[in-house]
Amino acid sequence: MLNFTEKTKQSFNIVADHLLAKLEKNEAANVNLHAEESLFVRFNANKVRQNTHVEQRSLTLTLQKDGKTANISFSITGEVDEDKQRVEFWLDQARQECALLPEDPYQVAIVNNGTSDNTFKGSLLKDEDVIKAITTPAAGADFAGLYCAGPIISANKNSAGQSHWFATENFFVDYSLYMGEKAVKSIYAGTHWDQKAFDASIAQSKNQLSLMDRPKKVLQPGAYRTYLAPGAVAELASMFSWGALSFNAHKQGGSALMKLADKEKSLSPLFNMRENYGMGLTHRYNSLGELAPETLGLITKGQLDSYVISSRSAKEYGVQSNAGDSHEGPRAMEILPGALKKDDILKELGTGLYLSNLHYLNWSDRLNARITGMTRYACFWVENGEIVAPIADLRFDESLFDCLGENLLAVTDFQEVDPMVSTYESRALGGKKVPGMLIKDFKFTL
Amino acid sequence: MDLQRTLHTLKGSADWVSLRHVTEKTTYRMVRDEKPDRNVISFDQGVMVEVLVNGHFGFSGTSDLSGTGIKRALDKAIMMAKAASSHKVHNFSVDQRPVAQGSYKSPVVKPLDSFSAKEISDIFVDATRAMKVSDKIVSRSATAMIVETHFHTVTSSGSDFEQSFSIVNTDFSATAAAGGETQTRSDSGGLARCLQVGAEVFDRASILERSKKLAEEAVELLSAENCPDTSMDLLLAPDQMTLQVHESIGHPLEYDRILGDERNYAGWSFVKPDDFGHLQYGSKLMNVTFDPTIEDALASYAFDDSGHPATKEFLIHNGLLVRGLGGLESQSRLNLPGVANSRSSSWNRAPIDRMANINLEPGTSKLEDMIASVERGVFMLANKSWSIDDYRNKFQFGCEYGKLIENGKLTKTVKNPNYRGTTVKFWNNLKAVSENRETFGSPYCGKGEPNQVIRVGHTTPYCLFADVEVFGA
């Protein structure tokens, strides 16, 4: 009997080919598949709050006809006969859309960008074993979080003969341990469940939590020497995906890195960011099936190397695409390491703040790349290289041009992977790889 | 699909079974600089099978609507509910799933299908053209997100209820740039204009007038001074009050946050169970309701996803916290009264506590009198930045447009107006509430593990707060 991935591959190939064969001479089409079979188990106080199993498949059809573009997404079932009827219905709807819409001047021609076929088989927990595997090592702790696992599939075909298939079986446990209001957070993720590794992750979190068993130190607003651990840097770096590196946003006045692009401002020579698909966190092809370069420098030695540019923007503005997807954000972001060794972090920090994580970031002044947000989880006050106490939450309001500019003192020589754990509507692929950073005068306001 | 028939063909060892069939068609129409930018239709459908086994609810959703697909989902739900029941957080019963029968439909004057893609596109092209008020305008966009969704639930205990929602969210936005400055004005904040309505919302004259005005304001902001950095009176318009209510009242009062379910993702709450009936959340002018009965508000409905009938309830009365936002499961866990707000984003997610329509009741002040009462203050409109801590205490919000209030009059326009504070202190400084109010909302309230985006509505008056820290860029 075929498993979910095998069955989906078989039915997708038949159904997508059926759709493409129905096209008329003046039509071209691109088809994307998302499919997943997921188990979600939500925990609170090391008990199960909710468990949800989800099996879902959807197709996204882009039809081009007479210079018009229609995009339609729809659910499919995995059953070939039913899905053939559905694609015929939605192809007809797409034709009706094209008839009503104005011409699309920035339509990107559908061409054959090649073929790829990758299936990564994992070794996941059996569904019925999940709860024991999670709750046993967490016993005695106030454990809250989410276990998520199963196959996830992305595939693409188009009328020019292009074909991509990417399937993987992965999992994550995104969790926190609590001591009253104090907490530490960790993510255990991968493709092969290793109970010993998960037990070790929980044990490490319990150890970190014991460091917090001291009264909280309440700090006044001000500028503090601050170490951002990789988890905190990952949160900060997520803002680069929020329009900052989008070429389209730049042209429309919405990029927070406008002053970097115009060389009015610069970041530190210690700051280097690139796209790196070699990390293996997601596939290289975008929704048009275009292959992004294996690596792409975005910010090198503090200077903007390249925005992320989609083919649609490239056509609109007469520049070269680098196979960005429509949102034009990094999909495989890496911030390169520096020279600060793990054992020297507290010594180099001296007296200041050690921040494990940040929370709820937003632009407070986009033009000046200024961001506000909160400290969260294991955050400590450090004096003379020694952790003194956990801190009461602080709000920061800080420009990237300052904290990643002349105030960036050092970057760690190690990086950590921050896997994508977003599950809005469906499970996402991807993630980031980032180091820790030591920063002078990080500004806290409340 | 015939949901009752499907339910009756299912056989399994659950104590109670529910099927929730959801179809949702979402249409995006976007025009930028008079050209089509994004035209996307998304049609999603599936069934959520929910079971009660050994006092634990289990869920399994599938887009395979065949009998085999739904039976497979039932078996999965039962298997996992059994496995989890020995580690369940609470012993639930079918009392948390009351028998519900009936239907709900959004009030619609002009059906959505009476308005074609071409008609919307034509209006939006004209709207972006209307924004061309200056060479300094660098980007102009018009967006509509049109949603037609239908929820149908049947249960083994006899529930059978259907709810159909017709929703239109619109946004019109202009960005002006000159001399190294960039400013954007939108139509009350990104997609804040979202209502349960029909095609009557596509009123050409109103759209063109609003579009032109916001483009003029974007240009005006280029030469405006920054909002001063100081503490002063703060007058907030309903399109910013929407966000203020959402973040600093709605979320902290959600029982699943208070219970800690949400701690690992969006966070906890500063509100404790003992605070209900005791905490003076704000000044005596503050009256907040959970109200699913507002006719066109985004999160109006007759039943929540557990079948609980939705009624208007006071959450905060004369500033005193009296009730929280929790569905029947959370009410059972906390032994506190709540509301009908157990809601899921779609067929593929389990219901959790959601705020729905959270409204500030009107006061007795006239807006002009509120302005006249201020010696030195600032008036802020339209949210553009939001951030609040995981206990919903320390917040910082930014707006698109501000006006100084000096000696009882609106004077200079100020750019980049921001303010920050802490929740209870801020609300206790509420010193006037207008008699008129407006309805806004958001289609994008994110919460839950697995994550869910849900629609919320907020109807609020103008509010005046004393002694707030404000600042510019």
Side-chain angles (χ1 to χ4, degrees):
Chain A
M1 188 176 163
L2 299 178
N3 65 25
F4 179 84
T5 302
E6 293 159 346
K7 183 180 176 190
T8 302
K9 187 171 191 176
Q10 188 182 69
S11 62
F12 170 69
N13 283 330
I14 296 169
V15 170
D17 288 345
H18 179 75
L19 186 154
L20 295 171
K22 294 277 177 191
L23 295 177
E24 294 165 3
K25 279 187 181 166
N26 61 340
E27 294 175 336
N30 182 58
V31 183
N32 280 297
L33 167 77
H34 171 84
E36 67 179 68
E37 185 183 29
S38 303
L39 176 65
F40 303 105
V41 185
R42 190 177 206 192
F43 295 89
N44 183 4
N46 204 27
K47 295 179 187 298
V48 178
R49 171 63 190 98
Q50 271 174 337
N51 49 272
T52 308
H53 181 270
V54 175
E55 179 184 318
Q56 61 181 349
R57 299 172 175 90
S58 66
L59 285 184
T60 301
L61 161 68
T62 300
L63 179 71
Q64 297 181 349
K65 181 174 186 171
D66 303 330
K68 321 269 185 83
T69 307
N71 295 285
I72 299 188
S73 298
F74 50 97
S75 306
I76 53 169
T77 67
E79 298 299 325
V80 169
D81 291 343
E82 170 68 22
D83 291 345
K84 278 183 176 176
Q85 288 180 38
R86 291 193 183 192
V87 297
E88 287 177 22
F89 174 81
W90 288 109
L91 177 59
D92 185 52
Q93 296 291 304
R95 286 175 175 143
Q96 292 180 35
E97 272 278 290
C98 282
L100 290 169
L101 293 173
E103 281 195 27
D104 176 7
Y106 310 125
Q107 187 180 78
V108 178
I110 287 171
V111 297
N112 186 339
N113 293 291
T115 299
S116 63
D117 187 342
N118 292 294
T119 298
F120 299 97
K121 187 153 176 54
S123 170
L124 306 179
L125 284 167
K126 287 182 182 167
D127 288 355
E128 54 269 37
D129 295 338
V130 166
I131 291 157
K132 186 178 173 196
I134 303 281
T135 57
T136 302
D142 182 1
F143 172 96
L146 179 70
Y147 168 87
C148 166
I152 178 167
I153 297 165
S154 166
N156 169 281
K157 276 179 180 266
N158 75 16
S159 52
Q162 172 181 286
S163 176
H164 294 291
W165 173 266
F166 180 89
T168 186
E169 293 176 335
N170 63 17
F171 68 86
F172 66 77
V173 189
D174 180 348
Y175 72 91
S176 306
L177 299 187
Y178 286 83
M179 179 192 292
E181 293 184 351
K182 299 168 194 166
V184 297
K185 184 181 182 67
S186 187
I187 298 174
Y188 174 57
T191 53
H192 290 67
W193 182 269
D194 178 342
Q195 189 65 43
K196 283 184 182 166
F198 179 64
D199 292 354
S201 172
I202 292 278
Q204 188 183 9
S205 296
K206 284 180 175 175
N207 267 340
Q208 281 183 326
L209 194 62
S210 68
L211 284 174
M212 306 191 76
D213 194 12
R214 304 176 208 182
K216 279 184 185 174
K217 184 174 177 68
V218 178
L219 292 165
Q220 293 305 306
Y224 292 95
R225 192 174 176 91
T226 299
Y227 172 70
L228 300 178
V233 171
E235 286 293 322
L236 203 62
S238 65
M239 296 304 290
F240 285 91
S241 303
W242 204 350
L245 282 163
S246 158
F247 186 70
N248 198 288
H250 167 67
K251 297 301 284 186
Q252 294 174 50
S255 165
L257 297 182
M258 206 104 66
K259 290 187 175 180
L260 190 67
D262 294 344
K263 300 200 181 300
E264 190 183 328
K265 294 272 189 182
S266 63
L267 300 178
S268 164
L270 298 173
F271 188 79
N272 295 280
M273 177 188 282
R274 65 177 181 174
E275 284 276 75
N276 180 5
Y277 288 90
M279 296 188 299
L281 297 172
T282 190
H283 49 80
R284 277 173 62 198
Y285 61 86
N286 64 13
S287 55
L288 287 172
E290 300 166 326
L291 282 183
E294 182 88 10
T295 60
L296 171 69
L298 299 171
I299 297 170
T300 304
K301 294 186 176 176
Q303 304 294 327
L304 186 73
D305 245 4
S306 177
Y307 277 108
V308 179
I309 308 171
S310 67
S311 292
R312 187 173 177 85
S313 286
K315 185 161 185 182
E316 179 173 359
Y317 300 110
V319 294
Q320 186 76 34
S321 162
N322 51 33
D325 221 333
S326 55
H327 74 289
E328 296 190 337
R331 296 189 293 130
M333 181 198 290
E334 180 184 22
I335 298 177
L336 298 183
L340 179 62
K341 296 190 180 313
K342 190 175 260 182
D343 289 346
D344 294 338
I345 290 169
L346 289 179
K347 186 178 75 184
E348 291 298 321
L349 173 59
T351 295
L353 285 160
Y354 182 108
L355 305 183
S356 292
N357 216 305
L358 302 174
H359 174 57
Y360 216 142
L361 276 60
N362 203 332
W363 301 112
S364 58
D365 177 3
R366 195 182 287 252
L367 187 64
N368 290 301
R370 211 169 96 192
I371 292 169
T372 188
M374 293 297 301
T375 61
R376 199 184 190 194
Y377 299 112
C379 296
F380 300 98
W381 177 245
V382 175
E383 283 182 7
N384 301 318
E386 288 191 14
I387 289 177
V388 173
I391 60 161
D393 288 349
L394 280 171
R395 170 166 294 286
F396 65 90
D397 191 31
E398 174 64 273
S399 169
L400 294 178
F401 294 131
D402 291 337
C403 69
L404 301 181
E406 61 183 18
N407 288 348
L408 178 59
L409 299 174
V411 178
T412 61
D413 67 352
F414 63 92
Q415 300 158 289
E416 290 180 10
V417 172
D418 179 56
M420 179 69 89
V421 294
S422 173
T423 51
Y424 283 109
E425 296 180 358
S426 58
R427 284 161 59 204
L429 291 164
K432 308 182 197 75
K433 194 174 181 184
V434 298
M437 292 182 179
L438 183 63
I439 293 164
K440 184 177 72 174
D441 293 339
F442 200 81
K443 292 180 272 300
F444 297 89
T445 55
L446 184 65
Chain B
M1 65 185 294
D2 188 339
L3 215 53
Q4 281 288 7
R5 191 173 163 201
T6 305
L7 179 70
H8 288 120
T9 60
L10 288 175
K11 290 197 171 27
S13 54
D15 302 321
W16 174 89
V17 179
S18 155
L19 298 181
R20 172 162 41 90
H21 178 230
V22 180
T23 59
E24 183 157 298
K25 182 182 178 189
T26 305
T27 306
Y28 290 94
R29 302 280 178 218
M30 187 170 173
V31 169
R32 184 164 58 81
D33 301 340
E34 296 149 57
K35 298 181 181 68
D37 193 55
R38 196 167 174 231
N39 285 284
V40 178
I41 294 174
S42 172
F43 183 79
D44 183 38
Q45 73 166 324
V47 166
M48 173 61 84
V49 180
E50 184 180 348
V51 298
L52 179 66
V53 177
N54 301 335
H56 180 77
F57 290 108
F59 301 84
S60 183
T62 181
S63 62
D64 181 353
L65 304 184
S66 67
T68 320
I70 292 174
K71 177 68 169 71
R72 193 166 60 244
L74 175 75
D75 291 344
K76 278 278 184 188
I78 290 171
M79 185 275 288
M80 276 308 295
K82 275 184 183 162
S85 64
S86 60
H87 284 79
K88 57 184 180 272
V89 77
H90 187 77
N91 191 40
F92 294 114
S93 76
V94 78
D95 290 346
Q96 280 81 54
R97 298 293 184 271
V99 175
Q101 292 177 340
S103 62
Y104 170 89
K105 271 192 177 177
S106 299
V108 169
V109 176
K110 194 172 173 185
L112 290 172
D113 59 9
S114 66
F115 218 63
S116 74
K118 183 176 186 321
E119 287 171 291
I120 295 172
S121 179
D122 287 349
I123 290 179
F124 281 13
V125 167
D126 289 347
T128 60
R129 188 175 290 123
M131 293 179 210
K132 219 170 175 175
V133 296
S134 160
D135 291 344
K136 292 172 182 166
I137 296 288
V138 296
S139 180
R140 301 160 280 131
S141 70
T143 304
M145 177 183 176
I146 303 159
V147 184
E148 298 155 271
T149 186
H150 182 78
F151 280 56
H152 182 197
T153 302
V154 299
T155 71
S156 58
S157 53
S159 285
D160 188 338
F161 59 100
E162 298 185 57
Q163 307 197 86
S164 296
F165 304 94
S166 168
I167 291 162
V168 183
N169 312 324
T170 58
D171 191 40
F172 304 92
S173 172
T175 298
E181 180 66 65
T182 301
Q183 289 289 333
T184 299
R185 274 292 277 135
S186 66
D187 194 19
S188 291
L191 284 178
R193 278 188 190 269
C194 37
L195 298 167
Q196 286 187 27
V197 285
E200 64 273 14
V201 79
F202 296 111
D203 178 74
R204 176 185 290 268
S206 168
I207 287 171
L208 298 192
E209 185 186 330
R210 294 192 333 253
S211 298
K212 182 168 181 284
K213 181 166 185 277
L214 63 89
E216 288 167 348
E217 288 179 352
V219 175
E220 180 193 355
L221 284 167
L222 290 177
S223 55
E225 291 175 15
N226 259 320
C227 177
D229 297 357
T230 186
S231 288
M232 57 165 70
D233 282 359
L234 173 65
L235 176 63
L236 295 180
D239 56 12
Q240 170 59 20
M241 282 302 300
T242 289
L243 189 276
Q244 183 71 50
V245 166
H246 180 90
E247 299 286 11
S248 70
I249 300 174
H251 281 308
L253 298 192
E254 288 167 341
Y255 280 168
D256 60 345
R257 292 183 71 112
I258 294 169
L259 283 159
D261 294 350
E262 187 70 8
R263 287 178 292 176
N264 181 61
Y265 183 59
W268 219 331
S269 175
F270 71 89
V271 175
K272 306 281 184 268
D274 289 347
D275 288 335
F276 292 95
H278 301 101
L279 176 65
Q280 190 67 29
Y281 207 100
S283 80
K284 290 192 180 300
L285 297 172
M286 183 189 190
N287 287 287
V288 179
T289 55
F290 167 87
D291 191 356
T293 68
I294 299 262
E295 191 160 77
D296 56 356
L298 191 53
S300 290
Y301 50 87
F303 304 97
D304 73 4
D305 286 340
S306 71
H308 192 190
T311 53
K312 177 177 177 175
E313 305 290 348
F314 271 84
L315 306 174
I316 295 171
H317 195 246
N318 296 336
L320 184 70
L321 178 65
V322 292
R323 185 185 289 255
L325 294 167
L328 293 174
E329 289 181 33
S330 294
Q331 291 174 42
S332 173
R333 291 163 72 192
L334 274 171
N335 196 26
L336 283 170
V339 297
N341 73 331
S342 186
R343 297 200 292 152
S344 63
S345 57
S346 189
W347 60 269
N348 56 6
R349 294 290 181 265
I352 55 176
D353 292 337
R354 285 301 202 150
M355 69 176 79
N357 293 332
I358 305 302
N359 304 328
L360 200 60
E361 296 298 302
T364 55
S365 300
K366 293 189 184 308
L367 179 60
E368 55 269 31
D369 293 340
M370 292 165 72
I371 294 167
S373 74
V374 175
E375 190 179 321
R376 187 165 168 271
V378 60
F379 177 37
M380 296 189 192
L381 300 91
N383 181 263
K384 74 170 176 182
S385 174
W386 59 97
S387 175
I388 187 165
D389 68 49
D390 50 347
Y391 287 87
R392 299 281 142 172
N393 184 31
K394 294 180 177 180
F395 61 79
Q396 178 171 316
F397 302 139
C399 294
E400 291 179 355
Y401 187 85
K403 281 266 186 195
L404 289 183
I405 309 173
E406 296 169 301
N407 299 317
K409 288 191 168 51
L410 293 173
T411 57
K412 284 183 212 161
T413 298
V414 289
K415 68 184 179 187
N416 306 320
N418 290 267
Y419 64 100
R420 59 170 78 101
T422 53
T423 296
V424 171
K425 182 182 175 202
F426 180 81
W427 282 106
N428 274 280
N429 283 1
L430 175 66
K431 62 179 193 179
V433 179
S434 75
E435 59 186 9
N436 56 318
R437 56 182 193 163
E438 294 175 49
T439 298
F440 295 97
S442 171
Y444 295 126
C445 176
K447 189 180 163 185
E449 290 176 311
N451 306 148
Q452 305 191 44
V453 164
I454 215 157
R455 294 178 268 267
V456 296
H458 301 292
T459 302
T460 77
Y462 292 81
C463 288
L464 180 63
F465 298 88
D467 192 25
V468 180
E469 184 184 351
V470 302
F471 59 98

